[in-house]
Amino acid sequence: MSLIPSFFGNRRSNVFDPFSLDIWDPFEGFPFSSAVANLASSAGETNAVANARIDWKETPEAHLFKVDVPGLKKEEVKVEVEDGSILQISGERNKEQEEKNDKWHRVERSSGKFLRRFRLPENAKLEQVKAAMENGVLTVTVPKEEVKKPEVKAIDISG
């Protein structure tokens, strides 16, 4: 679906989508710093950025964002609206403490920071944004303003 290789797991990330502000780093893998390096301080943390999966659905009443954040508490996730039209969802999953006597057989769960940004449409009611967390899924509801239909007035034709 994407025209470029997505560092977010090839999931609805498209440079031509005006509402998606996902960070795509064309220099990923090169030895010099990049925009993504500012978000995460190590390669392990960069993987956590990719693991914040989001679905965005529009209904007649609202825009709904559902974010998979398993194992995180609501205090570890932040939802903000910045510049009057950018929805920003961020958080951090801390790495588990390693004990000296522990022997790890496999480490697959990611840790670190994640950040996702979306440009909201003009009809979003930013002062009424709500967020709720249940069973590891964050749901952000952005109500929409009602679209007023233009009044049509019939004009009598004389003659």
Side-chain angles (χ1 to χ4, degrees), residues 34-105:
S34 65
V36 174
N38 294 331
L39 291 174
S41 60
S42 72
E45 290 180 354
T46 303
N47 289 336
V49 175
N51 289 333
R53 301 285 193 183
I54 296 184
D55 292 335
W56 177 359
K57 174 174 75 171
E58 182 176 357
T59 68
E61 298 82 28
H63 294 275
L64 298 173
F65 295 84
K66 292 198 176 215
V67 187
D68 287 341
V69 286
L72 291 184
K73 300 176 192 136
K74 66 180 186 178
E75 296 81 19
E76 298 171 316
V77 179
K78 195 178 342 179
V79 178
E80 301 171 305
V81 176
E82 63 178 35
D83 296 332
S85 66
I86 307 291
L87 176 68
Q88 179 169 301
I89 301 169
S90 61
E92 184 170 4
R93 178 177 288 120
N94 294 320
K95 194 171 186 176
E96 204 170 305
Q97 289 295 100
E98 293 184 27
E99 298 294 325
K100 192 170 188 172
N101 297 330
D102 289 345
K103 179 180 179 184
W104 291 86
H105 292 278

Side-chain angles (χ1 to χ4, degrees), residues 121-142:
E122 291 181 18
N123 66 347
K125 291 182 178 179
L126 302 177
E127 64 282 348
Q128 296 178 11
V129 174
K130 293 181 182 168
M133 179 113 67
E134 185 176 343
N135 296 329
V137 178
L138 172 71
T139 302
V140 180
T141 305
V142 182

Side-chain angles (χ1 to χ4, degrees), residues 108-124:
E108 292 183 352
R109 296 184 314 144
S110 59
S111 62
K113 298 176 184 179
F114 65 88
L115 170 71
R116 299 293 302 271
R117 300 176 67 182
F118 299 91
R119 184 177 312 281
L120 295 171
E122 291 181 18
N123 66 347

